[in-house]
Amino acid sequence: MENRMNHLQRCTQRWCNGYLLMEKGRCLIEDEEGEIMLPESLQSSMVLILENDGWTKGELLGTMLLLENGGLVEVKGGEKIQFTETLAKGWLDLLMSIPEHVFYQVIDDVEQLGFSVYDCVFSSFHPSQRVSFFQFSVDAQSLALQVDHDIANGQICFEWTTSGGHRSVSQFHAI
């Protein structure tokens, strides 16, 4: 599982803009759409903070930022940050549940179709159901993925369809 998470972190990631907030002594993050989240909900505590018209890499540790240059900054609230997009939970659950050889092929398929694994905007994955659905979006392009888990035959089928009309199907042994 650790190898998979490391591989996902090396994939093309989408950066999000946001602000740090302080509320009752607790650090929170507000994203571009006004959604408030806990720093623990990020997949990585590494962020970029805007300082003197430039971005500085740092690690968010509670109410402090440990900067790449070794400096320590107390979060006051209002600091502009960038953070990496997190993977949709259902999408991540699927990626962690499939055999390793399938995992790497699926990541490659997403990228070959011009998307990042971080572009998943909708996921419907329930391990007990036979079919799962995922939607990816970037700019004006979209990608739909239907995954059919045929447990009885030990097969898993991925059907990819892009908004540009490209369709492909991949079938794997799920064992």
Side-chain angles (χ1 to χ4, degrees):
M1 175 121 47
E2 185 177 330
N3 287 344
R4 292 184 193 205
M5 291 305 292
N6 288 336
H7 186 79
L8 289 170
Q9 288 176 351
R10 288 190 300 272
C11 291
T12 304
Q13 295 185 352
R14 182 170 35 180
W15 287 90
C16 302
N17 293 312
Y19 294 91
L20 295 176
L21 306 172
M22 286 301 294
E23 190 169 303
K24 297 181 182 175
R26 177 131 175 107
C27 183
L28 302 171
I29 298 171
E30 180 178 5
D31 68 13
E32 294 171 301
E33 288 137 23
E35 298 285 323
I36 306 293
M37 65 185 94
L38 296 170
E40 298 85 42
S41 66
L42 299 178
Q43 284 190 237
S44 170
S45 60
M46 299 307 288
V47 298
L48 298 176
I49 184 168
L50 187 60
E51 283 193 322
N52 305 323
D53 298 325
W55 293 100
T56 302
K57 189 175 184 178
E59 184 173 4
L60 191 55
L61 304 169
T63 61
M64 303 296 283
L65 269 164
L66 176 59
L67 302 179
E68 183 175 49
N69 62 13
L72 199 57
V73 175
E74 183 178 353
V75 174
K76 297 190 185 334
E79 294 90 342
K80 187 169 184 172
I81 64 166
Q82 290 184 333
F83 54 93
T84 55
E85 181 74 59
T86 57
L87 290 170
K89 182 179 179 342
W91 176 233
L92 180 60
D93 290 346
L94 171 77
L95 292 173
M96 293 302 131
S97 70
I98 57 180
E100 192 156 344
H101 70 285
V102 177
F103 168 84
Y104 292 108
Q105 183 60 53
V106 167
I107 300 299
D108 189 51
D109 288 347
V110 169
E111 292 175 349
Q112 291 295 320
L113 291 167
F115 294 83
S116 163
V117 293
Y118 294 92
D119 292 329
C120 184
V121 295
F122 172 80
S123 64
S124 175
F125 172 70
H126 304 283
S128 60
Q129 294 179 351
R130 182 176 169 150
V131 180
S132 299
F133 300 94
F134 305 91
Q135 185 73 33
F136 298 78
S137 179
V138 63
D139 299 326
Q141 301 295 315
S142 61
L143 168 67
L145 170 61
Q146 176 178 317
V147 181
D148 183 12
H149 317 264
D150 187 353
I151 297 167
N153 291 325
Q155 299 284 320
I156 185 168
C157 180
F158 292 80
E159 183 175 339
W160 308 89
T161 308
T162 68
S163 56
H166 176 81
R167 180 177 177 265
S168 63
V169 177
S170 304
Q171 193 162 356
F172 303 95
H173 290 285
I175 301 169

